[in-house]
Structures are given as structure tokens and as C-alpha cells.
Amino acid sequence: MPTGNDKKVGSNKIRKRNEENFDIDVNNVETDRRSTVMIRNIPNKYDLNLMIQTIDRNYQGKYDFFYLPIDFKNKCNLGYAFINFVDKRYIRDFFFEFNNKRWGRFNSEKICQIRYAKIQGTSALMSHFRDSNIMNQEDDTVKPYIPPEFKFNNKDKLAELIEKQRKTTVSKGGKVQYK
């Protein structure tokens, strides 16, 4: 008969197995289909501008989506972010540059961790934020960041996709229709 301890051990095994699915194997990034990573343990004093400066130092033009969630009450980041690379090969260099490294500013003791994100790809990320209250905020620094080189006619791809999806319906027959 299973005991409470058995249940806990089984639960830990499942959690461990699920965590391993997000680990980055730097030897296989080119064959892995994932292109979005989660950056963990970001010092709370880092804001969007500082994160973009830090990332753009070596990755400008190599990512098309970045999001740093903000705690509106305390006006600081939540300690993690998401970045989608335009080519998954960039993940290896990004991983080596940031993973298990201390952050350069604010004398933080936090150690950066890089893992694959649960939501993968720009389209999936954009769909995820489509109906989010974040998109209604006036302050652009709390919204997902689309680098200038990926903006189109002063309207970023996220806004364009959101607009298109709001005008899109699917009929009972499964046909996509645009309003």
C-alpha cells in the first residue's frame, strides 16, 4: 500500500523529469526545435532598458522578442524574462555567456540560469500576450519588446498579429475568415 512518502517521492520524480525537459543541451541546440529561452534570477533592479543594453552587446539583431515581467506594485522586475532567438544556433553562445554567471550590476549575488521556455516561438508568444492586460498598459516598458529591426512601418509585429487575430474568425467548417 502506498504511503504519503511514496507519493512525495513519485511527485519529485515527475517534477525532476519535467524540469529536465527545459534544460538546454548545448551540443544539440541546432537539432532542438526550440528557440525561446527563459532567463532566471535577474536582479530586481534591472529594468527593460538595462536588460536590452546587456543583451544587445552581443545579440543585437539575433532576437525578435523579449519580455521582462514587472511587478506593478513594487515597480521592479519579477526576476525572470523570455527571449526568442531568430536562429536557435544563437542559444549556445547566449547560454555560455550568461548561464551560471553573476550579474554585472548592483553587486547582486544572483546567479543567472538559462533554460528553455514553456511557450516557444514568436508566434506562440505573441498569441499568449494577445489578450493580456499588459498590452493595455500605457508604459511600453512593461510590454513585450520587439527590437527596432523587427518592426514594420512603425507598427511592431506583435501589434500587427494581435490586430489580425482580433479580426480573424474560424467558421464551423474550420475555415479561417478575416473580417
Side-chain angles (χ1 to χ4, degrees), residues 37-81:
V37 299
M38 179 181 196
I39 306 166
R40 296 170 50 177
N41 298 327
I42 300 169
N44 299 105
K45 291 182 181 180
Y46 274 66
D47 62 10
L48 177 65
N49 292 326
L50 184 53
M51 284 298 296
I52 296 304
Q53 285 175 3
T54 302
I55 292 167
D56 278 356
R57 197 170 39 233
N58 292 317
Y59 300 94
Q60 186 171 9
K62 297 178 180 178
Y63 66 97
D64 58 4
F65 183 96
F66 180 83
Y67 178 56
L68 178 68
I70 300 296
D71 177 343
F72 294 108
K73 182 180 177 186
N74 296 317
K75 301 206 187 287
C76 62
N77 77 64
L78 294 176
Y80 60 93

Side-chain angles (χ1 to χ4, degrees), residues 131-158:
D131 296 322
S132 170
N133 289 336
I134 299 281
M135 299 311 296
N136 298 324
Q137 299 295 318
E138 288 184 30
D139 182 0
D140 285 341
T141 64
V142 302
K143 297 177 185 178
Y145 171 77
I146 308 297
E149 55 268 31
F150 292 97
K151 290 189 177 185
F152 178 73
N153 290 338
N154 296 325
K155 187 176 183 183
D156 64 48
K157 289 181 180 182
L158 179 58

Side-chain angles (χ1 to χ4, degrees), residues 28 50 67 75 103 105 114 117 128 132 142 154 166 177:
N28 292 319
L50 184 53
Y67 178 56
K75 301 206 187 287
W103 293 90
R105 299 272 186 106
I114 307 297
H128 178 75
S132 170
V142 302
N154 296 325
R166 285 189 178 147
Q177 299 172 335

Side-chain angles (χ1 to χ4, degrees), residues 18-39:
N18 288 340
E19 287 176 2
E20 289 172 3
N21 292 334
F22 296 106
D23 289 344
I24 295 174
D25 179 352
V26 293
N27 296 316
N28 292 319
V29 293
E30 292 177 24
T31 57
D32 198 303
R33 296 185 318 200
R34 296 174 284 188
S35 60
T36 308
V37 299
M38 179 181 196
I39 306 166

Side-chain angles (χ1 to χ4, degrees), residues 34-38 82-84 115-117 119-121 125:
R34 296 174 284 188
S35 60
T36 308
V37 299
M38 179 181 196
F82 301 95
I83 184 169
N84 185 72
R115 301 179 63 121
Y116 282 117
I119 300 172
Q120 285 295 316
L125 290 161

